[in-house]
Amino acid sequence: MGKIIAIANQKGGVGKTTTAVNLAASMAATKRKVLLIDLDPQGNATMGSGVDKYEVAATAYELLIEEMPLDQVVEKDTTGKYDLVAANSDVTAAEIKLMECFARELKLRNALAKFKNHYDFIIIDCPPSLNMLTVNAMAAADSVLVPMQCEYYALEGLTALMDTINKLASVVNPDLAIEGILRTMYDPRNRLANDVSEQLKTHFGDKVYRTVIPRNVRLAEAPSFGSPVMYYDKASAGARAYLALAGEMIRRAEKQKTKQVA
């Protein structure tokens, strides 16, 4: 069975979509079968995958509202070599229409149920707000990956986010867990970043990934070329960091499976 990971943070600009695209590409590069679901109406993960959000035949709207089967919605031809459920402004309408649906928070979970075992990892890029699309992602996911910058306000926001995740888990998905906390846009020369990083490790222990994502020009440039960074500049610090993160996550997932079997 595949593992479904929602990438979420209510705060924008923390590298959420960058993480979704580059983690999906890095996992696909290790020969895992990966699906990336873009649930953000801005469609940045779609464009960053080399898919024109204005030209797609179907998006998350068709998946959630029109209940089109996943295999008819998926885009196969992405620059990251993973499958993609695209998003564009139609997904804003999906959020509104969901409010009228029965069992509205379970629409994504139900849409993925038949196809979960087709993939090793399903990664969901959530919008930067706690709306019905994010609730659907949380209801469908096995775990939540939280990207965050090592800044004071981000630390405060993280406490609120953890509280929200716990509340959502109790209502729509009792099995939802924290996959991990990822430090993004990290500058080791910044004293505050180092202080916040230490506080994170103290409070969250091994939930904080050893891998950190550095501030990296190539990482920032890659989306404008419609490509994950590993296919834009595989020698860059950003590409190496996301490959290391994929390796760390795969090792954790395999260790978990071994424990469950034992």
Side-chain angles (χ1 to χ4, degrees):
M1 289 286 277
K3 184 167 193 177
I4 304 177
I5 302 169
I7 300 184
N9 195 326
Q10 288 152 279
K11 191 175 186 297
V14 294
K16 186 173 52 59
T17 298
T18 299
T19 296
V21 167
N22 289 292
L23 180 58
S26 297
M27 283 178 160
T30 67
K31 305 300 180 199
R32 267 69 182 181
K33 190 152 174 51
V34 181
L35 170 66
L36 174 60
I37 300 175
D38 189 355
L39 276 192
D40 190 339
Q42 294 177 87
N44 291 336
T46 300
M47 298 295 272
S49 304
V51 174
D52 188 342
K53 66 182 178 183
Y54 301 106
E55 298 292 329
V56 287
T59 67
Y61 177 91
E62 280 74 18
L63 183 69
L64 295 171
I65 305 302
E66 297 188 359
E67 298 184 357
M68 194 181 280
L70 181 70
D71 55 355
Q72 291 179 32
V73 175
V74 159
E75 296 282 333
K76 298 275 186 186
D77 190 20
T78 67
T79 49
K81 306 196 170 35
Y82 47 78
D83 289 356
L84 171 77
V85 173
N88 56 27
S89 56
D90 290 353
V91 180
T92 305
E95 187 193 340
I96 297 160
K97 292 254 187 188
L98 278 169
M99 302 307 289
E100 303 161 8
C101 295
F102 174 73
R104 56 183 179 255
E105 67 278 1
L106 302 178
K107 297 287 274 185
L108 183 60
R109 183 197 288 182
N110 295 338
L112 296 178
K114 288 183 191 170
F115 297 90
K116 190 177 177 182
N117 61 351
H118 292 198
Y119 295 96
D120 298 303
F121 291 94
I122 297 174
I123 296 168
I124 308 170
D125 185 28
C126 298
S129 59
L130 185 62
N131 58 22
M132 191 46 65
L133 294 167
T134 306
V135 171
N136 261 268
M138 299 281 188
D142 298 304
S143 58
V144 184
L145 188 158
V146 182
M148 64 167 287
Q149 285 180 262
C150 288
E151 295 172 350
Y152 175 71
Y153 288 125
L155 198 59
E156 277 207 329
L158 182 64
T159 309
L161 180 65
M162 291 300 179
D163 190 39
T164 300
I165 290 168
N166 290 333
K167 281 177 184 166
L168 272 176
S170 66
V171 177
V172 297
N173 186 357
D175 299 323
L176 188 67
I178 300 297
E179 178 70 25
I181 296 165
L182 176 66
R183 293 161 289 170
T184 59
M185 303 179 211
Y186 192 75
D187 184 351
R189 298 166 300 179
N190 183 319
R191 194 172 130 190
L192 177 63
N194 289 318
D195 288 348
V196 171
S197 180
E198 287 307 314
Q199 285 184 56
L200 280 174
K201 286 191 270 188
T202 302
H203 284 94
F204 296 100
D206 63 1
K207 287 291 180 192
V208 181
Y209 291 112
R210 288 196 305 273
T211 306
V212 296
I213 309 300
R215 282 196 180 277
N216 181 244
V217 174
R218 292 295 195 227
L219 207 48
E221 289 173 348
S224 63
F225 290 87
S227 172
V229 69
M230 65 179 297
Y231 295 110
Y232 174 63
D233 183 354
K234 66 180 180 183
S236 67
R240 293 199 306 272
Y242 276 109
L243 276 167
L245 175 66
E248 188 176 348
M249 288 179 71
I250 288 164
R251 284 192 298 276
R252 280 191 187 189
E254 283 170 354
K255 197 182 283 185
Q256 249 177 354
K257 268 186 193 169
T258 308
K259 274 185 188 173
Q260 284 166 359
V261 171

